[in-house]
Amino acid sequence: MLVLTFAATGRGNCVEVDGTPYVYVRTASGSFVMRADCPHRGGPLHLAAEGPEGKSLICPWHERRTATVRMRQRIPAVRTGRTVRAVLPHPPQAEVSHQHRPLSPALAC
Amino acid sequence: MSHAPNAYVPFELHGQELRDAVVRYASNPIYLDNEEWQNNDNPYRRQLRPQVLPHLDYDAVPGREDILDYSSLAVQRVLTSVYEADLVFLPKSGLKDRKWEDFQQFYSPSNRALGEAIRPALEKYAFGFLDDEVEISGKWTKESFHAYIESLGADDPAEASLTEKAILSSTDRERAARMWLIQFAPDFLSEASPMIRNVLGHYGATQSEWFKIIIDEYGYGVHDTKHSRLFERTLESAGLASDIHRYWQYYLNSSLLMNNYFHYLGKNHELFFRYVGALYYTEATLVDFCRRAASVLTSVFGDKADVEYFTEHVHIDQHHGRMALEKLIDPLIEEHGEHIIPEIVRGIEEYRVIQAVSDDDFATQIAWMDKGPEFKKLHAPVWAAIESGKVTAPVADIVEPYGELSNTHCHDGDELCHIVSGTMKFVSGFDSHQILEAGEGTVIQKNRLHGAIIESEECVYQIHSVGDYKKCLS
Ligand code: FES
């Protein structure tokens, strides 16, 4: 496991670990850390729209839906002020870079 | 015959009802203003400035950016009093004369009941900002929790805090160090009292682990080694008195926030697991903190500083962090499930937030005290801007007689104090003041603790609420 800190919003709001990007999002049904790439073909999930009743996120590429309740359960994280600390499923020696990813309105409530 | 049960109505106070209840609590004679800067060996006297309390709004929970405003200071002072009605305090010189009456007043059923009635609403006001500051998400497991704990590096040596830097670079290092020791008095003189709130009850083997930490703090029942006794000696070696709340008026908002936070966790057992987290973090960081504190005090006061309080913690707490993790947290997670982890994490993070607020507040106060002469000089240009009409600000005209003491407080924006006639001793912290004569004055910085006493037969002065004094200078 790898614990990383990054910005909750703005510059550096994304960490890429061994090629997998993660962002912190605020949805209508709560805030959490999620993978920014879609499991289908790697589409930009950080630009997802909100599904009916806010229960899912819809990937902009092929409109695949993922239930937010499942996404929220995945990555243990704590946001304190503007900093997020997340426990990610990667080995400690993984390659890490901090980046910026824009978020769709549904993910920046 | 069937009876419809009465509907359960949860207890809640807000609005005018809450305000009235706060004022009623604080109107107790023991909470009125003091005519002196210090309390004199009387643990029951706590200046709550009840005259101001009807004008505050206790429903609008402040965010972190407003947490050092006056209403928060007022609420923290009230909460300190409410929590401490559970603690036994006796004056060092005995319960003589007025102190006997004050003792009965402080521990009266009325004071207790009025305090308990307002406590939940004031706790929401005082600690509500933490709901926004700290947010836990995701599914936590024992494994991810341990990875998180490792990542905090709580027992690694930390960088010098703002507080440390402020003391060591102060224009008056001894005064700054005394002001610092004063901030610890509410906590260290009744050390571990909030923690003892979690010793009662019956909850398995972890209860005894919790108790062991307290045994250490209490010096194994040998009074001279009780940690509060060690701290009394530290205070005395720095030329301070060690009676309870002598320096009540010099406690900063955030020092009370920090101390009250632990009472809040200990008093409300639904927050038990948060307390476990906060306890772990304090214990884990304490060794490094105490080592540094001893070195700051020795560097300021030389060998005359009695730092045993701090060096003792370096020895004794060496393993407390680990103990809290292995003997308290892990077994609790084992017994009660991983769903308690977010609360533990929350306690850790909340404590870290409060620590940061407190570090910043103290360092800013020392700068405010050190720069007293500069803030006095700033009166001239700010007053010129007001006099010329370039700046208009709400103004209060005040006339006070000789000896009138404005008990310490702070403002939510910058203000200009302008003396029309007479003499004022303007106090900006422990042992820190400027004398202001007619035509002089001082800028009063937002959120900075201060008070004043009139030194002439009468003093006429004005307070101009300029908001941001820098805007008057351009
Ligand atoms: S890449 Fe997201 S739906 Fe195909």
Side-chain angles (χ1 to χ4, degrees), chain B residues 244-263:
Chain B
I244 298 285
H245 296 326
R246 168 172 287 271
Y247 305 109
W248 174 269
Q249 291 202 53
Y250 298 110
Y251 296 155
L252 297 184
N253 189 339
S254 64
S255 312
L256 295 173
L257 165 68
M258 173 73 90
N259 188 45
N260 284 337
Y261 177 67
F262 286 95
H263 279 293

Side-chain angles (χ1 to χ4, degrees), chain A residues 38 40-43 59 61-64:
Chain A
C38 176
H40 181 226
R41 295 276 173 82
C59 174
W61 280 9
H62 313 98
E63 299 185 353
R64 213 172 93 151

Side-chain angles (χ1 to χ4, degrees), chain A residues 46 60 74:
Chain A
H46 52 98
R74 271 184 207 139

